[in-house]
Structures are given as C-alpha cells and as structure tokens.
Amino acid sequence: NDQLLVYGSSDLVCYFATHPADLVKKHQQHWTPLVTWMKEKYGIVFETVSGIQYHHQPQESLGKLQKLLEDLDAAQFTVVQAAAATTGSVVIALALLEKAISEDEAYQAACVDEIYQLKTWGEDAEARKRLDIIQGELKVIAHFRDFVL
C-alpha cells in the first residue's frame, strides 16, 4: 500500500513534457482523460505539471487515494500493485482494474515517451524489447483481472 502511494505522489500521468509540441499533445491525449477519470470516479484530484521537477500532490488527494487502496480486496490490490509496478502509475493501474482502459490503452499511456522516441529516432532493439515486455505484462495482468474478478 505504501509503495502504491509513492506512485500516486509522483504519478507518471502528472508530468507532461514541455516540448516538442507533438509529444506534449500525446501526453494530453493519453493522460488528461485518466486524470479526469480519477477526479470524476473517485473525487481524487491529481495536479499536473509541465516538466520533470517534483510536484507534491495535495494531501487531501493522497488521503483519498490511500482510503481507496485500503478498500481494495486482495485480488484487486494484486492487479493494481502489478500494473502500477509495470507502468509507473497508480492512475493507469486503477483505470486498468476498473476496465476504464484496455491493456493496450494502458500500454500506450505508460509508454508514451518511449513509443514517441522510437517513432522519432528509429527502432532500438533494447527499447523495443523493454516495450514488448511491458506490453506482455499488461496483457497477463488484464487476463488475471478478468479471471479473478
């Protein structure tokens, strides 16, 4: 639970690029709906910033997130824990748990930067291997979710 709160306090989907413009647009396309979903579904407000400088999330939001995580049953917690570790985002993990996004959408959201870099600079075998592993893990997590929930 504490590790999931760490993800929430510096969640991937809260740190938008400052440039280039097409990457900023990709962040907005994939991440803004997730931040909005958290607010609408759970009343948890995640503040987004441009750049990579740490931004402390509101204590009220982290308190609500902690309560939400504490209320998960063992199977739900396992899904969220595995998905957050894979994606670096408790927001993406919760959306995947709730089927607000598919495993492919979770992959696209979690790997926006890496996918953008491959498309911009060309294929890199190591980067592609890492992306394939993440995509495979998210598929397994979604299958586990569908099996136990």
Side-chain angles (χ1 to χ4, degrees):
N1 191 342
D2 289 344
Q3 185 60 43
L4 291 175
L5 279 176
V6 170
Y7 285 115
S9 67
S10 59
D11 203 281
L12 169 73
V13 302
C14 296
Y15 292 88
F16 288 69
T18 56
H19 63 281
D22 53 341
L23 179 57
V24 173
K25 187 175 179 182
K26 291 268 185 208
H27 284 172
Q28 292 168 342
Q29 173 189 348
H30 289 286
W31 296 348
T32 301
L34 291 168
V35 172
T36 301
W37 176 79
M38 285 295 292
K39 181 179 179 183
E40 291 174 355
K41 172 94 177 167
Y42 299 112
I44 299 173
V45 176
F46 280 98
E47 296 175 352
T48 61
V49 295
S50 294
I52 58 172
Q53 181 149 0
Y54 178 75
H55 176 78
H56 193 73
Q57 293 298 324
Q59 201 55 48
E60 179 183 356
S61 296
L62 295 177
K64 287 181 179 180
L65 178 61
Q66 182 172 7
K67 170 93 172 86
L68 171 63
L69 296 171
E70 288 171 353
D71 289 346
L72 297 175
D73 66 28
Q76 293 169 325
F77 184 82
T78 300
V79 169
V80 172
Q81 186 176 42
T86 301
T87 63
S89 170
V90 73
V91 174
I92 293 171
L94 285 164
L96 185 64
L97 171 70
E98 295 287 342
K99 297 184 181 180
I101 58 174
S102 68
E103 65 261 26
D104 186 59
E105 291 167 321
Y107 165 74
Q108 295 289 327
C111 300
V112 172
D113 293 339
E114 294 88 345
I115 294 167
Y116 176 84
Q117 288 172 7
L118 288 181
K119 287 183 178 173
T120 303
W121 305 111
E123 283 295 316
D124 172 275
E126 280 300 311
R128 175 55 61 195
K129 182 178 177 183
R130 182 178 172 281
L131 290 174
D132 289 347
I133 289 169
I134 291 169
Q135 194 168 29
E137 287 179 4
L138 288 170
K139 193 167 293 218
V140 169
I141 292 164
H143 287 304
F144 175 79
R145 172 204 63 203
D146 295 343
F147 182 73
V148 298
L149 299 176

